[in-house]
């Protein structure tokens, strides 16, 4: 069985871009693989976070993982900072990471300009490589923006293996189907829908109220046409159609033939009904999970124990290969 690993940072609000591009794919993947889903809190502090809010966000994300359909009987969910092997392996990988390769990372440049630079932000991709390599991961489902980081993880695995002997599996990126890998902002379809968007109208959050969802869809940018046509030319309309198709669980083509000829306002009403109905069922599950914090803690305990046990196998090989510490006696 393949091992898949992915993670989301507990910062900002999870939105329908995260859901369509990442979480909904994870739900499918858990059926056919050993799935490990992490809440990457150590990554989150590479930009300033308010401590109380961060703690709250970690549980919010964990509960949302479950609410969208990740099943703890099939997948493992854990909090990154609860397994110190991530930091340990990141340190070892640091020593074989070329400075220049980190300097070329576009996310570092973007986030550095926005939030100010720090060494953690610079080193972010190495910690991400450690996350992935610790679990001998075969595939990493992520959006397109993470491709560059995945390449680094592969490069570091290869470099380590050729210098110290075979320890790591080479992970492959699993980019979601075309279109869904990049859901755009509703208010500016040239920009990616993003947790850190300053314009609240651009992003539909998984925990938005019905009123907010309807308002955001109503105000979503369209184009100069008035009806849906087969050549859904503009980015704005094609983005809304992609969201519709994803929530309907059908291809873009089937959605198009269903919607062809409808006026934009009719279409927006249908889209709003669809998104409201899907998110309200997610929110209902979310509220149930949050009302039973004990069960959530048990899921996170199990995930942590599984993660530590599995990562220790890799870490032992790493320490042996590099010559760190003393030999660990077999028991
Ligand atoms: P982030 O919100 O950047 O922490 O990303 C969490 C996961 O969601 C990653 O796998 C991203 O690639 C994916 N993702 C983030 N924003 C979008 C988007 N607008 N469309 C599709 N996938 C996204
Ligand atoms: N960098 C990823 C993001 O911002 C989050 C992440 C951290 C991750 N470690 C990972 C994703 C390991 C996949 C695998 O979306």
């Amino acid at each position: 069985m393949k091992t898949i690993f992915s993670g989301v940072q507990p910062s900002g609000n999870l939105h329908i871009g995260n859901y369509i591009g990442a979480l909904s794919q994870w739900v499918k993947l858990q059926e056919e693989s050993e799935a490990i889903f992490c809440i990457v809190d150590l990554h989150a502090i590479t930009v300033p976070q308010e401590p109380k809010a961060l703690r709250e966000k970690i549980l919010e994300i964990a509960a949302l993982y479950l609410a969208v359909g990740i099943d703890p009987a099939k997948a493992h969910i854990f909090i990154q900072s609860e397994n110190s092997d991530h930091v340990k392996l990141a340190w070892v990988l640091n020593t074989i990471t070329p400075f220049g390769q980190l300097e070329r990372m576009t996310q570092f440049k973007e986030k550095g300009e926005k939030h100010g630079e720090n060494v953690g932000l610079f080193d972010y991709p190495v910690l991400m490589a450690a996350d992935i390599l610790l679990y001998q991961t075969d595939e990493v489902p992520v959006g397109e923006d993470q491709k560059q980081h995945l390449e680094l993880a592969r490069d570091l695995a290869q470099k380590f293996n050729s210098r110290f002997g075979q320890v790591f599996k080479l992970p492959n990126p699993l980019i979601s189907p075309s279109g869904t890998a990049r859901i755009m902002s509703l208010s500016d379809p040239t920009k990616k829908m993003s947790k850190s968007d300053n314009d609240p109208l651009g992003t539909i959050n998984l925990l938005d109220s019905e009123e907010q969802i309807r308002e955001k869809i109503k105000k979503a940018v369209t184009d100069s046409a008035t009806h849906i046509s087969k050549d859904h030319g503009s980015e704005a309309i094609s983005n809304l159609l992609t969201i519709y198709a994803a929530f309907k669980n059908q291809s873009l083509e089937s959605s198009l033939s269903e919607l062809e000829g409808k006026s934009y306002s009719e279409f927006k009403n249908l889209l709003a009904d669809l998104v409201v109905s899907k998110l309200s069922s997610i929110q209902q599950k979310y509220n149930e999970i949050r009302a039973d914090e004990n069960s959530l803690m048990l899921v996170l305990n199990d995930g942590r124990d599984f993660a530590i046990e599995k990562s220790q196998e890799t870490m032992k090989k790493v320490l042996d290969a590099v010559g760190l510490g003393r030999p660990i006696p077999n028991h």
Side-chain angles (χ1 to χ4, degrees), residues 134-178:
L134 268 180
Y135 301 96
Q136 305 294 346
T137 302
D138 295 289
E139 285 174 349
V140 186
V142 279
E144 241 156 26
D145 56 335
Q146 297 299 317
K147 251 184 169 165
Q148 205 183 16
H149 293 161
L150 251 291
E151 273 157 31
L152 176 76
R154 279 177 70 86
D155 287 352
L156 292 180
Q158 231 154 2
K159 200 165 170 183
F160 186 100
N161 288 347
S162 69
R163 186 155 149 198
F164 297 107
Q166 183 66 33
V167 171
F168 298 121
K169 216 175 225 181
L170 297 196
N172 288 307
L174 197 63
I175 307 293
S176 33
S178 68

Side-chain angles (χ1 to χ4, degrees), residues 133-291:
L133 299 179
L134 268 180
Y135 301 96
Q136 305 294 346
T137 302
D138 295 289
E139 285 174 349
V140 186
V142 279
E144 241 156 26
D145 56 335
Q146 297 299 317
K147 251 184 169 165
Q148 205 183 16
H149 293 161
L150 251 291
E151 273 157 31
L152 176 76
R154 279 177 70 86
D155 287 352
L156 292 180
Q158 231 154 2
K159 200 165 170 183
F160 186 100
N161 288 347
S162 69
R163 186 155 149 198
F164 297 107
Q166 183 66 33
V167 171
F168 298 121
K169 216 175 225 181
L170 297 196
N172 288 307
L174 197 63
I175 307 293
S176 33
S178 68
T180 64
R182 235 175 120 73
I183 301 295
M184 309 309 278
S185 155
L186 299 188
S187 51
D188 177 359
T190 62
K191 273 189 352 201
K192 210 183 79 159
M193 185 177 285
S194 153
K195 283 174 183 164
S196 53
D197 196 346
N198 291 326
D199 178 5
L201 287 178
T203 308
I204 296 180
N205 298 315
L206 296 186
L207 297 177
D208 275 351
S209 68
E210 168 164 4
E211 206 184 355
Q212 287 170 315
I213 298 169
R214 291 194 185 279
E215 190 200 350
K216 288 174 185 182
I217 292 180
K218 199 167 182 180
K219 294 201 172 139
V221 171
T222 55
D223 55 26
S224 55
T226 53
H227 289 73
I228 303 286
S229 66
K230 268 266 185 291
D231 57 331
H232 53 288
S234 74
E235 280 202 32
I237 293 297
S238 112
N239 188 42
L240 295 178
L241 285 168
T242 303
I243 296 170
Y244 184 87
F247 276 93
K248 265 234 139 155
N249 223 341
Q250 66 184 17
S251 69
L252 198 55
E253 289 68 36
S254 334
S255 293
L256 251 182
S257 30
E258 180 191 324
L259 297 164
E260 199 183 357
K262 295 221 185 303
S263 73
Y264 284 170
S265 71
E266 272 177 287
F267 167 51
K268 279 182 163 185
N269 282 334
L270 288 172
L271 179 62
D273 289 345
L274 187 61
V275 176
V276 164
S277 128
K278 180 81 194 170
L279 294 194
S280 71
S281 97
I282 291 176
Q283 289 172 13
Q284 196 184 335
K285 286 197 199 111
Y286 174 83
N287 291 330
E288 286 165 16
I289 294 161
R290 289 311 303 265

Side-chain angles (χ1 to χ4, degrees), residues 69-141:
I70 293 175
D71 177 354
K74 295 177 183 151
H76 309 276
I77 300 175
F78 78 103
I79 302 169
Q80 185 186 31
S81 65
E82 294 186 356
N83 182 1
S84 53
D85 281 342
H86 291 249
V87 179
K88 218 172 184 180
L89 180 58
W91 181 258
V92 174
L93 295 177
N94 271 335
T95 64
I96 61 164
T97 305
F99 213 81
Q101 202 169 356
L102 294 185
E103 275 175 329
R104 287 196 295 275
M105 293 289 169
T106 50
Q107 198 174 68
F108 169 66
K109 290 181 203 154
E110 285 166 16
K111 288 196 178 174
E113 273 167 29
K114 203 161 169 182
H115 305 278
E117 291 174 0
N118 64 69
V119 177
L121 190 60
F122 188 66
D123 204 29
Y124 178 113
V126 180
L127 179 60
M128 177 163 163
D131 298 341
I132 295 164
L133 299 179
L134 268 180
Y135 301 96
Q136 305 294 346
T137 302
D138 295 289
E139 285 174 349
V140 186

